[in-house]
Amino acid sequence: MHCVRKVTDDLYWVGANDHRLHLFENIHPIPKGVSYNSYLLTDEQTVLFDTVDWSACRQLLENISFVLKDRPLDALVVTHLEPDHGAALQEILLRFPQVKVIASVKCFQFMKQFGFCLDGHECVAVKEGDTQTFGKHTVTFIGAPMVHWPEVTLAFDTTNGVLFSSDAFGSFIALDGKLFQDEVNFDRDWIDEARRYYTNIVGKYGAQTQSVLKKAAGILDQIKMICPLHGLVWRDNFDYLLDKYQRWSSYTPEDHTVMIAYASMYGNTESAAYALAARLCEKGVKGVTVYDVSNTNVSYLVSEAFRCSHIVLASVTYNMGLYPIMRDFLEDIKALNLQNRTFALMENGTWASCAGKVMRKFLTEDMKNMTLLDETVSMTSALAENQADQLEALADAIVASLQNK
Ligand code: FEO
């Protein structure tokens, strides 16, 4: 059965939802699913903008058949070839042997690398500023390399103001019948998953995302709709969305608050983490969050680290070094280029404690623009009652730093 939604009078969402995939990119949990968005324009020529993951190909084909009726598919625009959008391309090429394929040079290179057969198809390589006209609609192409792969080229329909934004402005969470952002309470129900999507998938490429934001700002008065490859279509409130992307891509915290991430083997470091959280809340800090790194998928920790201005790391010592899961978290935020945060440290070790030393070295030598508070709490096995003053001093230092920012 087809499952299609109208985006404009002659543009249809023909994508699919996926609730069966547990791990996006086989690494990030998606408990609320994800959508693969594909769009079909029915102008004098019919034009498909991107395809879907292979698992959703059948739904895509049913949707295309329903919209096309007896018309042929004339053109396929590929803005991004990552297989969550490009895998069904081969099937489209087989079923529509006359379809013209429009993509960047790099995208055509990747099609060959993935083994797609383009024999017999007209292939049109486009670059920044090129245009294609399909009848009354003219589409101009905007380079967006590394948002999120190097071949990415956005497509902007200058006739109706629809920006096909590829991975940019996308989100986890399946659509389940919804399509537009004004059909949900985005700030309540979607923002956390949109942040987790951006920070983990595109977070490393802040500079490249900033470049795309500058290009979008140049045509903002013409943009009427933003159609990403995952999640909701935006038809108003662009300022909200652009502000989030501006913050995430410039590594600017969204909230002046504290995230505490702890690594605890037997509950003693955990207990100290909650004791600090209670002190901070008593002192009036709003929105303190606490995470056990062993029981929280790192994609959520990364997302929170992008949201919060202050991060407390509380870790046990392990094998004369840092607890491996805490190290993984630090390596992840380093790989994703996180910057401009204030850190505070708590360490634990029954003998020869060195977690604090390792974390301090990592934050100051391996990461960019991180501030480390001087105050720390060092435990031997457990936080002792006579360390209450140390805990208080650490909480005071964090509060002072929050107020300074
Ligand atoms: Fe949704 Fe980079 O693919």
Side-chain angles (χ1 to χ4, degrees), residues 24-25 34-36 80-86 147-149 151-152 166-168 197 201-202 229-230:
F24 188 80
E25 294 185 343
V34 69
S35 72
Y36 311 114
H80 184 20
L81 196 71
E82 191 169 10
D84 53 332
H85 314 290
V147 183
H148 133 247
W149 276 17
E151 87 293 8
V152 171
S166 211
D167 271 348
Y197 167 82
I201 308 296
V202 193
L229 288 179
H230 302 287

Short mmCIF file of all heavy atoms in Angstrom, two decimals, residues 24-25 34-36 80-86 147-149 151-152 166-168 197 201-202 229-230, ligand 1:
data_model
loop_
_atom_site.label_atom_id
_atom_site.label_comp_id
_atom_site.label_asym_id
_atom_site.label_seq_id
_atom_site.Cartn_x
_atom_site.Cartn_y
_atom_site.Cartn_z
N PHE A 24 21.39 2.95 13.89
CA PHE A 24 21.64 3.76 12.70
C PHE A 24 23.15 3.75 12.44
O PHE A 24 23.94 3.94 13.37
CB PHE A 24 21.14 5.19 12.96
CG PHE A 24 21.16 6.08 11.77
CD1 PHE A 24 20.15 6.02 10.82
CD2 PHE A 24 22.19 6.99 11.59
CE1 PHE A 24 20.16 6.86 9.72
CE2 PHE A 24 22.21 7.83 10.49
CZ PHE A 24 21.19 7.77 9.55
N GLU A 25 23.52 3.54 11.20
CA GLU A 25 24.94 3.36 10.83
C GLU A 25 25.55 2.20 11.61
O GLU A 25 26.77 2.13 11.79
CB GLU A 25 25.76 4.64 11.03
CG GLU A 25 25.35 5.78 10.10
CD GLU A 25 26.24 7.01 10.21
OE1 GLU A 25 26.98 7.14 11.20
OE2 GLU A 25 26.18 7.85 9.28
N VAL A 34 13.43 6.00 12.47
CA VAL A 34 13.99 7.04 11.61
C VAL A 34 13.19 7.02 10.31
O VAL A 34 12.56 6.00 9.99
CB VAL A 34 15.50 6.77 11.33
CG1 VAL A 34 15.71 5.55 10.45
CG2 VAL A 34 16.21 8.00 10.75
N SER A 35 13.19 8.13 9.61
CA SER A 35 12.57 8.12 8.28
C SER A 35 13.64 8.34 7.23
O SER A 35 14.66 9.00 7.49
CB SER A 35 11.49 9.21 8.16
OG SER A 35 12.09 10.49 8.10
N TYR A 36 13.41 7.75 6.07
CA TYR A 36 14.25 8.02 4.90
C TYR A 36 13.36 8.82 3.96
O TYR A 36 12.36 8.30 3.45
CB TYR A 36 14.69 6.73 4.22
CG TYR A 36 15.27 5.71 5.17
CD1 TYR A 36 14.61 4.50 5.40
CD2 TYR A 36 16.45 5.96 5.87
CE1 TYR A 36 15.13 3.56 6.26
CE2 TYR A 36 16.96 5.02 6.76
CZ TYR A 36 16.30 3.83 6.95
OH TYR A 36 16.80 2.90 7.82
N HIS A 80 22.94 13.00 -2.05
CA HIS A 80 23.83 12.33 -1.09
C HIS A 80 23.74 10.83 -1.36
O HIS A 80 22.64 10.28 -1.46
CB HIS A 80 23.34 12.66 0.32
CG HIS A 80 24.18 12.13 1.43
ND1 HIS A 80 25.49 11.74 1.29
CD2 HIS A 80 23.88 11.94 2.76
CE1 HIS A 80 25.95 11.33 2.46
NE2 HIS A 80 25.00 11.44 3.36
N LEU A 81 24.90 10.18 -1.47
CA LEU A 81 24.88 8.77 -1.86
C LEU A 81 25.03 7.80 -0.70
O LEU A 81 25.02 6.59 -0.90
CB LEU A 81 25.96 8.49 -2.92
CG LEU A 81 25.73 7.17 -3.64
CD1 LEU A 81 24.54 7.25 -4.57
CD2 LEU A 81 26.96 6.71 -4.37
N GLU A 82 25.18 8.27 0.51
CA GLU A 82 25.29 7.31 1.62
C GLU A 82 24.13 6.33 1.52
O GLU A 82 23.00 6.72 1.21
CB GLU A 82 25.28 8.05 2.97
CG GLU A 82 25.65 7.12 4.11
CD GLU A 82 25.92 7.84 5.43
OE1 GLU A 82 25.64 9.05 5.51
OE2 GLU A 82 26.40 7.18 6.36
N PRO A 83 24.39 5.03 1.75
CA PRO A 83 23.38 4.03 1.42
C PRO A 83 22.02 4.18 2.13
O PRO A 83 21.04 3.60 1.66
CB PRO A 83 24.07 2.72 1.80
CG PRO A 83 25.51 3.00 1.54
CD PRO A 83 25.71 4.42 2.01
N ASP A 84 21.94 4.94 3.23
CA ASP A 84 20.61 5.13 3.81
C ASP A 84 19.72 5.94 2.86
O ASP A 84 18.49 5.97 3.04
CB ASP A 84 20.66 5.77 5.21
CG ASP A 84 21.45 7.06 5.26
OD1 ASP A 84 22.37 7.24 4.45
OD2 ASP A 84 21.13 7.91 6.12
N HIS A 85 20.31 6.57 1.88
CA HIS A 85 19.53 7.27 0.84
C HIS A 85 19.80 6.73 -0.55
O HIS A 85 18.96 6.83 -1.43
CB HIS A 85 19.86 8.77 0.84
CG HIS A 85 19.89 9.35 2.19
ND1 HIS A 85 18.74 9.51 2.94
CD2 HIS A 85 20.90 9.75 2.99
CE1 HIS A 85 19.07 10.00 4.12
NE2 HIS A 85 20.37 10.15 4.17
N GLY A 86 20.99 6.17 -0.75
CA GLY A 86 21.41 5.80 -2.10
C GLY A 86 21.23 4.34 -2.44
O GLY A 86 21.30 3.95 -3.61
N VAL A 147 28.85 17.68 4.58
CA VAL A 147 27.62 17.76 5.37
C VAL A 147 26.62 16.76 4.75
O VAL A 147 25.67 17.13 4.13
CB VAL A 147 27.01 19.18 5.34
CG1 VAL A 147 25.78 19.29 6.22
CG2 VAL A 147 28.02 20.24 5.73
N HIS A 148 26.94 15.47 4.75
CA HIS A 148 27.87 14.91 5.71
C HIS A 148 29.00 14.12 5.05
O HIS A 148 29.96 13.71 5.70
CB HIS A 148 27.00 14.10 6.68
CG HIS A 148 27.35 12.75 7.08
ND1 HIS A 148 26.69 11.59 6.78
CD2 HIS A 148 28.38 12.39 7.87
CE1 HIS A 148 27.24 10.57 7.36
NE2 HIS A 148 28.26 11.01 8.02
N TRP A 149 28.90 13.92 3.72
CA TRP A 149 29.95 13.28 2.94
C TRP A 149 30.46 14.29 1.91
O TRP A 149 29.80 15.32 1.68
CB TRP A 149 29.38 12.03 2.24
CG TRP A 149 29.33 10.76 3.05
CD1 TRP A 149 29.42 10.62 4.40
CD2 TRP A 149 29.19 9.43 2.52
NE1 TRP A 149 29.33 9.30 4.76
CE2 TRP A 149 29.19 8.55 3.63
CE3 TRP A 149 29.04 8.89 1.24
CZ2 TRP A 149 29.07 7.16 3.47
CZ3 TRP A 149 28.92 7.51 1.09
CH2 TRP A 149 28.93 6.66 2.19
N GLU A 151 30.50 14.32 -1.29
CA GLU A 151 29.78 14.49 -2.56
C GLU A 151 28.49 15.31 -2.41
O GLU A 151 27.82 15.59 -3.41
CB GLU A 151 29.44 13.10 -3.13
CG GLU A 151 28.12 12.46 -2.66
CD GLU A 151 28.10 12.07 -1.18
OE1 GLU A 151 29.03 12.40 -0.44
OE2 GLU A 151 27.11 11.43 -0.77
N VAL A 152 28.13 15.68 -1.19
CA VAL A 152 26.80 16.25 -0.94
C VAL A 152 26.61 17.58 -1.69
O VAL A 152 27.45 18.47 -1.64
CB VAL A 152 26.56 16.46 0.57
CG1 VAL A 152 25.28 17.25 0.82
CG2 VAL A 152 26.49 15.11 1.27
N SER A 166 19.36 17.62 2.05
CA SER A 166 20.15 16.42 2.27
C SER A 166 20.16 16.06 3.77
O SER A 166 19.13 16.15 4.42
CB SER A 166 21.56 16.63 1.70
OG SER A 166 22.08 15.41 1.26
N ASP A 167 21.31 15.70 4.34
CA ASP A 167 21.34 15.34 5.76
C ASP A 167 21.14 16.56 6.67
O ASP A 167 20.77 16.40 7.85
CB ASP A 167 22.68 14.69 6.11
CG ASP A 167 22.67 13.18 5.92
OD1 ASP A 167 21.60 12.60 5.73
OD2 ASP A 167 23.76 12.59 5.96
N ALA A 168 21.44 17.75 6.16
CA ALA A 168 21.33 18.95 7.00
C ALA A 168 19.88 19.15 7.44
O ALA A 168 18.96 18.95 6.65
CB ALA A 168 21.81 20.18 6.24
N TYR A 197 21.11 13.36 16.49
CA TYR A 197 21.39 13.07 15.08
C TYR A 197 22.52 13.96 14.57
O TYR A 197 23.54 13.50 14.06
CB TYR A 197 20.13 13.26 14.24
CG TYR A 197 20.38 13.29 12.76
CD1 TYR A 197 20.52 12.10 12.04
CD2 TYR A 197 20.52 14.49 12.08
CE1 TYR A 197 20.78 12.13 10.67
CE2 TYR A 197 20.78 14.53 10.72
CZ TYR A 197 20.90 13.35 10.03
OH TYR A 197 21.18 13.38 8.69
N ILE A 201 26.31 12.51 13.86
CA ILE A 201 26.49 12.20 12.43
C ILE A 201 27.32 13.28 11.75
O ILE A 201 28.20 12.99 10.95
CB ILE A 201 25.11 12.09 11.71
CG1 ILE A 201 24.19 11.12 12.47
CG2 ILE A 201 25.28 11.69 10.25
CD1 ILE A 201 24.65 9.71 12.52
N VAL A 202 27.03 14.53 12.02
CA VAL A 202 27.67 15.64 11.30
C VAL A 202 28.55 16.49 12.22
O VAL A 202 29.25 17.39 11.76
CB VAL A 202 26.59 16.53 10.62
CG1 VAL A 202 27.21 17.49 9.62
CG2 VAL A 202 25.53 15.69 9.91
N LEU A 229 16.59 14.82 4.44
CA LEU A 229 16.48 13.40 4.09
C LEU A 229 16.06 12.53 5.27
O LEU A 229 15.83 11.34 5.10
CB LEU A 229 17.82 12.91 3.52
CG LEU A 229 18.15 13.44 2.12
CD1 LEU A 229 19.50 12.92 1.64
CD2 LEU A 229 17.06 13.08 1.11
N HIS A 230 16.03 13.09 6.46
CA HIS A 230 15.47 12.37 7.62
C HIS A 230 14.60 13.37 8.40
O HIS A 230 14.96 14.53 8.55
CB HIS A 230 16.56 11.91 8.59
CG HIS A 230 17.59 11.00 8.00
ND1 HIS A 230 17.35 9.69 7.68
CD2 HIS A 230 18.90 11.22 7.70
CE1 HIS A 230 18.45 9.14 7.21
NE2 HIS A 230 19.41 10.04 7.20
FE1 FEO B 1 21.42 10.14 6.08
FE2 FEO B 1 24.76 10.85 5.57
O1 FEO B 1 23.16 9.90 5.36
#
